[in-house]
Amino acid sequence: MKSTVVVGYDQTPHSEVALEQAAREAAMRGATLNVVTAFRRPDSSGSAQSAQDADPQDTARKTAEAVAQHGVDRVHERRPQVQATPYALVGPAGKIIAQAAHSADLLVLGSRGQGGFTGLQVGSTSMRALADACCPVLVVRGEPDVTHERIVAAVDIDEYCEPVLDFAFAEASRRGVRITVIHVWDEPWIVSYGQQDPGIADDIALIEREREDRLAALIQSVQHRYPGMQPFHQVATGSAGRLLVEAAERADLIVTGARRHGEGRHGMQIGPVTQTLLHHAACPIAVVPVS
């Protein structure tokens, strides 16, 4: 089956950047692109509507349809080979966009859309879509013209992380760029203790070597599917959020994972490190759901 990329689009500057990135992803994947614009059902309570008045809901739908079609037209102007389809869907934007991408291979979002609070660096709509999404989500941020020819995969080797590695390797292979895999050993208490007691330094070094061996084995289990890819890997010690934000300054994309909700619920649990990246990273972030 042909793969599908979905993008949330509302004609704001952030969504224009997301639209271009989504079109690029669809072209690289040979995928169809669904351009989704969400709209609210107008509240007509307390107002009498005459026979001559336009139906507010019909007007809202037509406006949303025009916005989605505008997005499709822009895609066809820049990438005529991409098959793009407009969708105008009624409901809360974050939830509706996530539902529209339920069976997609990728959902692409801008960092902020209409109604976003200027104090937030990732808007509430994007955060809601992330929390409800069942597929990998690419949140576009940073300067689109700045390139480093490198993708960073941030993995937690104490959790199941193969989907994160697989997504990062596939993306690097499609783009023809380098890949760096980073695992941050975030144990500040033992590092602080080691600074006070030099005798524990050997134990810390042993733990780091063991983690590096585990990371190398995980990479090798995925690497065979991507011949020609020569990843660099690193085990770092310290604050995961800070170190990964620093790594994002030298990357075109940083890929991380988020646990799926349990008990039959759709969506992902966005942890504190991923939230830090979403609000502070200098490049786009791909969040991949893992079990």
Side-chain angles (χ1 to χ4, degrees):
M1 292 179 64
K2 195 169 185 178
S3 61
T4 303
V5 174
V6 174
V7 61
Y9 180 71
D10 59 12
Q11 231 171 339
T12 58
H14 289 85
S15 74
E16 294 288 358
V17 177
L19 181 73
E20 173 57 29
Q21 184 67 54
R24 180 189 179 194
E25 287 288 339
M28 288 192 298
R29 295 161 180 260
T32 59
L33 176 60
N34 294 343
V35 180
V36 177
T37 300
F39 69 98
R40 292 276 192 172
R41 183 175 284 109
D43 182 8
S44 57
S45 61
S47 61
Q49 180 183 332
S50 68
Q52 291 79 21
D53 291 337
D55 179 359
Q57 182 167 328
D58 186 55
T59 300
R61 179 178 296 279
K62 288 180 178 177
T63 300
E65 288 172 348
V67 170
Q69 183 61 54
H70 177 77
V72 168
D73 292 343
R74 288 182 67 84
V75 170
H76 288 160
E77 288 171 5
R78 300 170 184 175
R79 299 182 185 270
Q81 78 277 21
V82 173
Q83 180 184 341
T85 306
Y87 290 90
L89 304 176
V90 62
K95 184 175 182 178
I96 288 298
I97 292 169
Q99 289 177 351
H102 183 76
S103 301
D105 296 275
L106 181 68
L107 170 60
V108 182
L109 302 169
S111 57
R112 189 166 61 243
Q114 287 182 346
F117 295 103
T118 56
L120 288 176
Q121 291 166 297
V122 173
S124 56
T125 294
S126 295
M127 291 302 294
R128 177 58 189 269
L130 264 168
D132 286 348
C134 297
C135 68
V137 179
L138 176 59
V139 179
V140 181
R141 45 184 294 117
E143 297 296 331
D145 296 330
V146 177
T147 59
H148 301 274
E149 301 296 313
R150 186 170 79 121
I151 287 175
V152 170
V155 298
D156 182 353
I157 63 174
D158 295 318
E159 302 285 347
Y160 178 57
C161 59
E162 186 169 325
V164 177
L165 287 170
D166 198 52
F167 182 96
F169 268 85
E171 194 71 17
S173 179
R174 279 190 289 265
R175 298 187 184 198
V177 300
R178 297 165 294 160
I179 181 169
T180 295
V181 182
I182 298 178
H183 165 62
V184 180
W185 180 39
D186 194 355
E187 295 287 357
W189 65 270
I190 197 170
V191 174
S192 299
Y193 185 73
Q195 291 171 348
Q196 298 171 20
D197 181 1
I200 204 173
D202 290 342
D203 294 333
I204 293 174
L206 181 64
I207 294 171
E208 290 179 335
R209 285 196 298 272
E210 183 266 341
R211 286 186 170 267
E212 184 163 338
D213 289 344
R214 288 172 59 193
L215 178 60
L218 286 168
I219 293 170
Q220 189 173 15
S221 70
V222 175
Q223 187 178 1
H224 73 278
R225 296 198 289 270
Y226 303 92
M229 297 293 296
Q230 297 296 326
F232 172 79
H233 70 271
Q234 174 187 4
V235 174
T237 304
S239 165
R242 177 179 59 80
L243 291 171
L244 293 175
V245 167
E246 290 175 358
E249 294 177 358
R250 304 179 299 277
D252 299 325
L253 173 68
I254 189 162
V255 184
T256 187
R259 290 182 183 177
R260 297 180 188 274
H261 288 302
E263 301 177 353
R265 293 175 57 200
H266 294 313
M268 297 181 277
Q269 303 174 51
I270 308 303
V273 174
T274 299
Q275 289 198 38
T276 297
L277 285 170
L278 289 166
H279 287 289
H280 299 291
C283 72
I285 303 99
V287 185
V288 179
V290 294
S291 300

